[in-house]
Amino acid sequence: MKYFLSYLAGVFSTLAVGALIAYSNGDTGPDKELVFVPFVEKALDQIDSWKVADFKSLMTEEGFSQQPEQQWIAMLEQTKKLGQMTSHEAPELVNWTHFNSFNGSDKTEAIYTTVVQYENRKLAVKLTLIHKDGVTKVHGIRFDDA
């Protein structure tokens, strides 16, 4: 009987920890359609300016600091040759994860992609977003041929 009670206590503990982990990474956080999609739409318009200040205002500090500002300037000078955005597809959610305060952080990470037609080329744009404390920022951006 003593071993059986110990066994039950172990099973219960395992289930409780599993439930807490599942809850902590559960499908909560901001409404994707109300928060992320409008942000991506706005971000695409700001990206289209090809100005470092616009990129910096959109991005997390960590995301922007992944490369020196001079590299951002050089990259934007190159991509400015794409011309203005003429259209883009609806942003598509690729992946998202919400971490609540149980994990020590209440934030949501989401990845969206869209195909953007510029005057001189069509590109697939991938945005990694962070939503924390009611603010959404771009943590990473990637341009690929579409």
Side-chain angles (χ1 to χ4, degrees), residues 20-129:
L20 284 172
I21 290 171
Y23 169 75
S24 70
N25 289 325
D27 194 23
T28 58
D31 184 305
K32 296 179 275 302
E33 294 297 317
L34 295 176
V35 173
F36 291 126
V37 172
F39 179 83
V40 171
E41 300 276 344
K42 183 186 95 168
L44 290 173
D45 289 337
Q46 278 189 265
I47 290 167
D48 193 31
S49 76
W50 306 118
K51 295 180 183 173
V52 172
D54 288 341
F55 269 75
K56 193 171 189 174
S57 72
L58 283 172
M59 297 191 71
T60 63
E61 187 177 318
E62 300 84 20
F64 189 80
S65 66
Q66 288 180 4
Q67 61 184 4
E69 192 163 327
Q70 289 300 344
Q71 282 186 308
W72 281 105
I73 292 169
M75 188 248 330
L76 292 173
E77 285 301 314
Q78 282 296 111
T79 52
K80 189 186 292 185
K81 296 174 185 176
L82 295 170
Q84 296 297 307
M85 176 177 58
T86 59
S87 66
H88 67 81
E89 295 177 3
E92 182 179 320
L93 178 66
V94 174
N95 192 11
W96 93 310
T97 305
H98 177 75
F99 304 94
N100 69 23
S101 56
F102 177 77
N103 298 29
S105 172
D106 190 12
K107 72 177 182 179
T108 301
E109 297 178 11
I111 299 172
Y112 277 83
T113 60
T114 186
V115 174
V116 180
Q117 179 64 58
Y118 292 99
E119 290 173 317
N120 300 316
R121 195 172 189 177
K122 186 185 279 192
L123 292 177
V125 179
K126 180 179 180 180
L127 297 171
T128 301
L129 309 176

